[in-house]
Amino acid sequence: MNKIHLDDQNFLNIKIDGDSSKPKIIFSNSLGSDLSMWDPQVEFFKSDYHIVRYDKRGHGESTPIKGPYTFDLLENDVIKIMDELNIEKSHFVGLSMGGMTSLGLALKHSNRFDKLVCCAARADMPPPAIEAWDQRIAIVKEKGATGVVDGSLERWFSEEFRSNTVNNEIITKASEMIKKTSTNGYIGSCEAIKKLDYLKEIGKIKNKFLFISGETDVGAPALAMEEMHHLTSNSQYKCIPKVAHVFNLENPEDTNNIIKEFLS
């Protein structure tokens, strides 16, 4: 099975790796990416876990469903995947928009998850940030997701990483993921992010929870993520030095080891 049907017309693209008898991990992608962003993590974890990845609605090979989306909707997509695959309980790892989704899942569906990992994500959206999202929506309406490639890459990876030609293949792959994102998917997701408002609730999270930040990330600043950790009673916090937003690609080794230690 590589599709989870949401209705007669729309589906989510999924990919499954590893032994189905092992503990489950669901990986959730960021805005403007697809499930392949987790390739380095799958390679690392697949011998010990049964791994489910999915293209968030409007992303990758999933249907370009017209928005606006909400986090309720995006969280219910995860529960739908779990129900269809008969997964009673799973770990969950999300980055950026996937990390925001992890917060809602812990708050609204805690009984379906064991441990959750929130990478490079905020828990709320202050007014200046909402303005920036409106600007991004305007660009994508005019030019499609291609219009936000350069700005996204600057946020996703540190300057040091981008300027080193050794990393050209990763940068090119990231660029292609962004370009491939449907206009509906990008804008629909932006509308959900603009309404993000979990900060005042995260103290209610009961699951074991890990927050991971990138030291130079401007989208989800390390200080903001450390504050989220202090507000969440059963949580841990790690900051990876010298990396930006999509640190699972910039420094997969540290990312993998931090997640492994938390899940074990």
Side-chain angles (χ1 to χ4, degrees), residues 99-146:
M100 298 167 189
T101 303
S102 75
L103 300 172
L105 290 170
L107 287 165
K108 302 168 203 169
H109 303 280
S110 61
N111 61 316
R112 299 298 299 272
F113 296 94
D114 189 2
K115 297 179 179 180
L116 298 96
V117 182
C118 174
C119 304
R122 298 187 63 97
D124 68 340
M125 210 44 65
I130 292 171
E131 240 175 79
W133 286 108
D134 283 332
Q135 290 164 11
R136 218 187 289 190
I137 287 168
I139 293 168
V140 175
K141 277 181 178 170
E142 186 188 339
K143 301 178 179 175
T146 303

Side-chain angles (χ1 to χ4, degrees), residues 27-41:
F27 283 98
S28 182
N29 61 297
S30 64
L31 173 68
S33 69
D34 60 39
L35 57 77
S36 72
M37 72 170 279
W38 296 111
D39 285 351
Q41 283 65 53

Side-chain angles (χ1 to χ4, degrees), residues 3 40 42-43 46 67 87 91 118 124 140 164 175 199 232 234 240 244 247 251 261:
K3 287 180 183 176
V42 171
E43 204 50 45
K46 69 181 180 185
I87 295 172
H91 299 306
C118 174
D124 68 340
V140 175
N164 188 336
S175 174
L199 189 63
T232 310
N234 211 4
I240 301 177
F247 51 71
N251 185 343
E261 186 184 341

